[in-house]
Amino acid sequence: MTNNLSELVAWRHHFHQHPEVSNFEFETTAYIKQLLSSWGVRLVPTTLTTGVIAEVGDASKGPTIALRADIDALPITEATGATYTSVNTGVMHACGHDFHQTALLGSAFELKQNEAELQGLIRFIFQPAEETHTGADDVIAAGHIDDVQAIVGFHNKPDLQVGEVGILKGGLMAAVDQFKVTFTGIGTHAAMPQLGNDPIVALSTTISTLQTIVARNVDPQQTAVVSVTHIAGGSTWNVLPESAWFEGTIRTFTNETRALSKQRFYDIVNGQAQAFGLKVVIDWSKGPDVTENDPVLTEIVSDETSKFLKVVKPAPSNAGEDFATFSQKIPGVFVFFGSHGTADWHHPDFDVDDAALPLAVEWYTRIATRLLREI
């Protein structure tokens, strides 16, 4: 068996054709275990329901380094027209996690071949449930980074060319907060609004007012996004409903901006509810923190990467990543790997260029062995 492009493509296309959503990656988990076991890579016992933890090397010879890839897909209907299009209706790898796990598999094979020379231990984390921002918490709760000195990962980047890697010290991806707001009033006939208390007007006014958080509260030198993405209320044209709700997300890059945005959000929503005489419930879900790259490790990763790939300085992304949960616990580096994609993340037309696969395998492998020698 050789770790060549055709094999990497076969694995990636298999994952792409058989995507599974967060916490239901059962077939994916089994396939990864099958490949790793066939190469003699040690599988680490775990309490995780899905996902795989494996390792090569010997911790008595040096540090323990973790390499992480996410394995879940999204509830999106694929529209790529690829020969390996998803066979699971309404589910697709629209974020490239098939690319990530294939690269980590290839690296596991390569590192296994040179296991005797490794100056420490390398742990492979095939993480479930990144899209729901719960998988990293589960991996940590299971104890799989307790003895890890550093962790490394990447996300494919469709707007970077194959052979380019975006590396940035500090915050690479945003902190994520999720909200749902439900207004409750009194329903009535649309022709007699004075007999009820309309939540629709309050909802629409509130959504518009929330945009002042970024426009008038956040420092213009800082970055923040408030997006309402889903609105629901009523069931027909001539009835004012009893309740209506909206949900969405806030993305920020500093703790101060995050706290300010949340406070202003609550002030505005509660103020609007009081002004309109409505009851309101705010469901707030704190997602991952800023994906913060350790400056010392980033220097090492950048130097090693520049020896065989083109290092570029990327713009920080307002997308979130629960890799941040790891890097809040231990030093970590997360980079953008050029995939020259057909569309941006989470789009039905999304796919990656398979030519980037062997480069990603080499990146994982070289970064891991370099960190074993230097940290």
Side-chain angles (χ1 to χ4, degrees):
M1 184 266 187
T2 58
N3 188 15
N4 58 31
L5 178 59
S6 63
E7 285 168 332
L8 293 171
V9 170
W11 302 338
R12 210 274 292 183
H13 289 189
H14 173 87
F15 290 130
H16 192 93
Q17 198 165 24
H18 301 88
E20 297 170 296
V21 295
S22 301
N23 293 315
F24 290 89
E25 310 96 333
F26 297 108
E27 290 184 13
T28 302
T29 296
Y31 189 73
I32 293 170
K33 284 183 176 180
Q34 174 191 330
L35 288 173
L36 293 172
S37 297
S38 71
W39 306 330
V41 176
R42 296 191 302 278
L43 299 180
V44 177
T46 182
T47 57
L48 296 173
T49 304
T50 55
V52 180
I53 311 296
E55 59 189 26
V56 298
D58 185 345
S60 68
K61 294 182 179 181
T64 297
I65 302 298
L67 303 179
R68 176 268 200 176
D70 37 19
I71 67 173
D72 53 334
L74 286 156
I76 295 175
T77 299
E78 183 164 354
T80 63
T83 56
Y84 46 90
T85 292
S86 169
V87 297
N88 295 338
T89 303
V91 183
M92 75 168 290
H93 271 296
C95 206
H97 296 185
D98 51 339
F99 178 89
H100 305 165
Q101 60 192 305
T102 299
L104 189 55
L105 274 169
S107 180
F109 175 79
E110 293 291 337
L111 289 163
K112 178 63 180 176
Q113 310 315 302
N114 301 292
E115 186 171 22
E117 287 77 45
L118 295 177
Q119 299 176 31
L121 185 139
I122 299 171
R123 183 163 297 147
F124 308 101
I125 299 175
F126 293 88
Q127 182 207 304
E130 188 280 326
E131 296 293 355
T132 57
H133 299 151
T134 59
D137 283 321
D138 293 339
V139 170
I140 291 169
H144 294 306
I145 67 165
D146 288 351
D147 56 348
V148 173
Q149 280 76 64
I151 187 166
V152 174
F154 73 77
H155 202 293
N156 77 88
K157 199 69 165 67
D159 58 350
L160 294 182
Q161 298 300 309
V162 172
E164 293 182 332
V165 180
I167 302 179
L168 190 67
K169 292 181 183 178
L172 180 69
M173 301 182 75
V176 178
D177 289 297
Q178 182 180 344
F179 57 78
K180 181 179 180 180
V181 174
T182 304
F183 287 113
T184 301
I186 300 172
T188 187
H189 196 296
M192 293 170 278
Q194 76 279 10
L195 300 180
N197 196 354
D198 181 12
I200 297 289
V201 173
L203 181 146
S204 59
T205 303
T206 301
I207 290 172
S208 296
T209 307
L210 286 173
Q211 297 308 311
T212 65
I213 295 173
V214 174
R216 289 296 177 264
N217 300 130
V218 173
D219 183 338
Q221 303 302 316
Q222 299 297 321
T223 299
V225 174
V226 178
S227 291
V228 174
T229 58
H230 187 188
I231 301 171
S235 58
T236 189
W237 68 278
N238 60 351
V239 177
L240 294 176
E242 179 182 13
S243 66
W245 58 268
F246 66 86
E247 63 181 344
T249 183
I250 294 182
R251 307 298 171 102
T252 52
F253 272 91
T254 68
N255 290 332
E256 294 75 17
T257 302
R258 190 178 200 181
L260 171 65
S261 299
K262 182 179 181 181
Q263 183 59 55
R264 290 298 298 134
F265 184 95
Y266 271 74
D267 291 344
I268 290 168
V269 171
N270 286 323
Q272 293 287 344
Q274 183 177 12
F276 285 96
L278 297 165
K279 295 178 181 179
V280 66
V281 174
I282 303 173
D283 295 314
W284 190 274
S285 178
K286 181 180 182 293
D289 293 322
V290 175
T291 306
E292 194 83 21
N293 284 331
D294 179 86
V296 175
L297 291 182
T298 303
E299 285 284 359
I300 298 172
V301 169
S302 182
D303 178 68
E304 186 63 30
T305 304
S306 67
K307 294 178 180 178
F308 68 107
L309 295 168
K310 181 181 179 181
V311 174
V312 299
K313 184 177 181 180
S317 171
N318 283 323
E321 237 295 344
D322 79 347
F323 184 89
T325 309
F326 295 123
S327 56
Q328 292 292 318
K329 301 286 185 181
I330 56 176
V333 180
F334 196 74
V335 309
F336 289 144
F337 209 91
S339 59
H340 192 216
T342 55
D344 210 345
W345 302 325
H346 295 205
H347 193 282
D349 285 327
F350 177 90
D351 205 358
V352 301
D353 189 337
D354 286 323
L357 281 168
L359 301 179
V361 171
E362 185 176 0
W363 185 83
Y364 266 136
T365 303
R366 290 179 61 152
I367 296 302
T369 53
R370 172 88 180 256
L371 290 178
L372 285 183
R373 295 194 303 267
E374 295 197 20
I375 69 167

